[in-house]
Amino acid sequence: MTNISFEFFPTQTESGTEKLLKVRDRLAQENPEFISVTYGAGGSTRDRTRAIVKAVQESGVAAAPHLSCVGDSKADLREILLDYKEMGIKRIVTLRGDLPSGTGMANSELRYANELVEFIRQETGDHFTLEVAAYPEMHPQADNFENDLKNFERKVKAGADSAITQYFFNADSYFHFVERVQAMGIQIPIIPGIMPITNYSKLARFSDACGAEIPRWIRKQLEAYGDDQASIMKFGEEVVSDLSRKLLEQGAPGIHFYTMNQAEASLAIWNNIK
Ligand code: FAD
């Protein structure tokens, strides 16, 4: 059976939370391994992340809070970890985070995700399963692919159990990344992060920011649809279902959906491939 997991981000309003609880209940029926909840670097969503983490747990699905190190002190991080431990959380998505531009690193005692992995292991031993981020198309700030691989290795050596990738639309970039890290002796599962395509302008903006490439043929087709939302959804579903099917058929150990707090698009893909 294929393992799937989903990602939520913390809501800002009561009505947003109500909608998300419905999405949670629908996705829970698919028996995901976990639902993760993003964290605003520097603690900007600390309470809101916790609230959604709690709501996920209440549905009986394991919740995996994201936690990033830039902008938070060790004392802040320690407090969050102990709180999660008391709540019965067993898995954390461990990140460096991106501070909003103009925000200083003043509070930061840990600068990279490998340092946060090490810190969590020091503080809580093996209590948490630790997921880290992987970038098949290279992290946008990395000097080059080789150095990025070495930095990925640091996270694994520090004690990461598994990795979730940034989204991508080119299956070969994933297989190339997996091949390269396996050649370095790294054996942890690397779960592809899958982004459903539902809105071209949002996707283009996100992709520019995180360094994910939208292949020309996909970009051109989406541009051609203009405001025809139904065609964008249909084409997006086909493209991302084909990608996900190929990944699983060729050995990817599972799928992590970036749901954008919506059930339909992820479920449509999942129903096509499961
Ligand atoms: P790192 O692994 O620390 O890498 C960051 C950069 O520094 C890379 O270029 C790397 O090559 C380099 N580097 C790493 N270690 C070292 C070192 N020791 N010395 C020198 N250079 C080094 N962001 C959020 O703010 N909140 C979230 O909830 C969130 N969730 C995410 C979930 C996933 C699955 C992914 C893929 C990303 C997520 N992000 C989130 C975005 C992430 O925080 C950014 O991509 C960030 O820029 C890097 O985080 P990282 O953990 O990969 O950092």
Side-chain angles (χ1 to χ4, degrees):
M1 214 183 75
T2 306
N3 277 337
I4 51 164
S5 54
F6 299 107
E7 180 180 295
F8 288 167
F9 55 80
T11 46
Q12 309 231 30
T13 61
E14 250 174 60
S15 68
T17 305
E18 265 170 43
K19 274 189 208 145
L20 186 59
L21 295 185
K22 292 198 181 108
V23 171
R24 171 202 69 178
D25 291 342
R26 177 61 196 88
L27 295 179
Q29 293 170 21
E30 303 301 316
N31 289 321
E33 199 182 5
F34 60 89
I35 295 179
S36 78
V37 186
T38 64
Y39 179 80
S44 60
T45 66
R46 182 168 165 172
D47 294 341
R48 287 189 288 124
T49 296
R50 186 186 192 277
I52 303 299
V53 164
K54 196 157 172 284
V56 168
Q57 269 192 312
E58 282 165 1
S59 72
V61 175
H66 293 208
L67 185 60
S68 62
C69 59
V70 290
D72 274 315
S73 66
K74 284 186 182 174
D76 295 329
L77 295 167
R78 189 174 291 121
E79 199 177 284
I80 295 171
L81 290 169
L82 291 181
D83 180 35
Y84 283 149
K85 210 172 156 184
E86 275 169 20
M87 285 169 72
I89 298 296
K90 291 288 184 52
R91 183 187 301 261
I92 290 186
V93 183
T94 311
L95 303 146
R96 182 194 75 177
D98 285 321
L99 284 172
S101 56
T103 318
M105 293 276 287
N107 253 349
S108 317
E109 292 178 72
L110 305 172
R111 304 184 72 87
Y112 295 105
N114 66 296
E115 295 171 19
L116 180 57
V117 173
E118 198 179 317
F119 179 73
I120 297 178
R121 289 290 178 230
Q122 275 163 7
E123 294 287 319
T124 60
D126 286 338
H127 176 81
F128 294 109
T129 296
L130 298 182
E131 305 279 345
V132 290
Y135 300 85
E137 295 177 339
M138 201 176 99
H139 183 265
Q141 290 155 6
D143 314 332
N144 57 54
F145 192 67
E146 300 304 319
N147 285 344
D148 210 25
L149 285 176
K150 285 186 196 135
N151 289 327
F152 179 71
E153 186 182 32
R154 290 177 200 253
K155 298 194 271 198
V156 179
K157 287 200 165 149
D161 296 293
S162 179
I164 301 171
T165 74
Q166 182 57 277
Y167 70 85
F168 55 88
F169 296 105
N170 177 357
D172 288 341
S173 68
Y174 169 82
F175 293 119
H176 176 246
F177 181 85
V178 170
E179 228 170 73
R180 288 298 311 274
V181 298
Q182 285 179 349
M184 293 163 83
I186 293 172
Q187 297 296 337
I188 65 167
I190 297 173
I191 314 291
I194 294 294
M195 176 70 91
I197 298 176
T198 55
N199 177 310
Y200 176 55
S201 52
K202 262 195 205 160
L203 182 72
R205 219 175 32 246
F206 266 157
S207 304
D208 281 348
C210 71
E213 187 173 285
I214 309 177
R216 187 172 185 280
W217 67 275
I218 297 181
R219 212 162 17 92
K220 289 287 168 196
Q221 186 65 65
L222 290 171
E223 277 168 9
Y225 286 133
D227 293 335
D228 179 356
Q229 193 57 25
S231 297
I232 292 176
M233 300 282 287
K234 184 166 176 288
F235 174 72
E237 183 185 323
E238 275 167 23
V239 166
V240 182
S241 298
D242 286 350
L243 168 70
S244 306
R245 195 177 293 113
K246 185 168 180 188
L247 291 167
L248 291 174
E249 278 171 5
Q250 295 186 31
I255 295 272
H256 178 77
F257 284 104
Y258 292 108
T259 68
M260 307 306 286
N261 288 3
Q262 308 283 331
E264 296 77 15
S266 300
L267 283 177
I269 297 163
W270 179 231
N271 284 327
N272 287 338
I273 61 169
K274 72 180 176 189

